Amino acid sequence: VASYLQVEVEADGGALSKAQVSVKEAMKRVEQSLAAVRDQYTFATVKLVVHPSIAEFYEANPSASPDAGLEKIDTSDKDYIKELEDTVQAWTGEINRVIKEDRDSSEGSALRDIEFFTEMIGALEKLDVELARPAVKCTETALTQGGSRFALGKLRSTEKSKDEKLKLASAAQKLLQDLPITQLKSITNVDEFGPLVGTLFSSKSQPLGLMEKVKRVFVPQ
């Protein structure tokens, strides 16, 4: 909107009117509000929705094993198996939604990055809990018995990506937490920077220097 107003004004060869100035100020307030929302961002809770018939059984029998629910399922019913396939494909989409979340590189804050990776780790670990639910395992077993392979294959591939993302996020979080952010912020004398920066890049003061740590975290081996 601001760009559009500026172009219009330049085309007319004049200055912004009071109304146009008000619009620009309002847009600036909106941008500030959006920035505040971004800084308070947390990952949405992901819950893998189970087929109603299976969900109903496990709600009535919360301590039942993953195999118990199979007694109520006709795995020869192709239409029912197709419904379960759609359910699993929805799970894959939900897992991918979390995996594809990324930090805002324009933020430029190591503390915000630590917060992001902490939230990412929490979201991925919650997915592990969801995937271990008896109702979820029952669904997977029913698909196997029903001869379905495609949906489960995609789910397994997505789970592998989830595990890799969790490993990367954990390593990145630890790397950032190892940075002496507080010490750097507290420096009041330029001469104090030398020794502190040296601890980041020197492998003598740490089992691995900073650059070697970055390489191991972000560069595929």
Side-chain angles (χ1 to χ4, degrees):
V1 173
S3 298
Y4 173 79
L5 288 174
Q6 194 63 43
V7 170
E8 288 293 300
V9 170
E10 289 176 356
D12 293 337
L16 288 172
S17 66
K18 288 184 179 180
Q20 290 170 327
V21 170
S22 296
V23 171
K24 288 191 70 174
E25 289 176 348
M27 287 303 301
K28 184 176 182 180
R29 288 194 294 273
V30 169
E31 290 172 354
Q32 291 171 339
S33 298
L34 289 173
V37 170
R38 180 199 62 203
D39 290 342
Q40 297 171 7
Y41 171 79
T42 55
F43 282 73
T45 300
V46 175
K47 186 173 180 61
L48 303 182
V49 178
V50 181
H51 190 280
S53 62
I54 296 177
E56 183 180 351
F57 173 81
Y58 283 98
E59 286 171 4
N61 304 276
S63 61
S65 69
D67 293 336
L70 293 171
E71 298 175 3
K72 301 285 186 177
I73 298 175
D74 179 5
T75 56
S76 64
D77 185 337
K78 298 302 181 184
D79 291 335
Y80 185 79
I81 292 298
K82 178 62 172 61
E83 292 177 8
L84 295 187
E85 288 175 338
D86 292 343
T87 296
V88 171
Q89 287 180 8
W91 297 349
T92 300
E94 286 296 295
I95 297 171
N96 276 323
R97 184 167 63 84
V98 176
I99 293 174
K100 291 178 180 178
E101 289 284 359
D102 202 359
R103 51 181 285 278
D104 183 358
S105 59
S106 66
E107 176 66 22
S109 167
L111 291 174
R112 183 66 188 100
D113 285 346
I114 292 173
E115 194 175 299
F116 169 81
F117 285 118
T118 299
E119 292 169 358
M120 169 66 79
I121 291 167
L124 292 171
E125 289 178 341
K126 287 177 182 177
L127 278 173
D128 285 337
V129 173
E130 283 291 296
L131 287 164
R133 287 166 52 205
V136 171
K137 293 299 182 185
C138 177
T139 302
E140 294 177 4
T141 303
L143 283 176
T144 299
Q145 292 184 0
S148 176
R149 294 287 183 271
F150 181 71
L152 286 177
K154 288 185 65 176
L155 179 63
R156 296 291 172 258
S157 177
T158 303
E159 286 185 87
K160 182 179 179 182
S161 297
K162 171 189 61 64
D163 293 339
E164 291 172 350
K165 188 76 171 188
L166 178 57
K167 182 178 179 181
L168 175 63
S170 298
Q173 180 198 48
K174 185 177 188 308
L175 173 65
L176 290 167
Q177 287 175 332
D178 286 344
L179 295 178
I181 298 170
T182 303
Q183 295 94 312
L184 286 168
K185 283 186 173 181
S186 64
I187 288 177
T188 57
N189 189 320
V190 175
D191 295 334
E192 297 176 27
F193 271 103
L196 189 55
V197 171
T199 64
L200 295 178
F201 294 91
S202 173
S203 58
K204 294 180 180 179
S205 60
Q206 306 180 58
L208 289 174
L210 176 63
M211 297 310 294
E212 183 62 25
K213 286 184 177 181
V214 171
K215 180 180 177 182
R216 291 198 174 194
V217 171
F218 294 107
V219 179
Q221 301 297 313

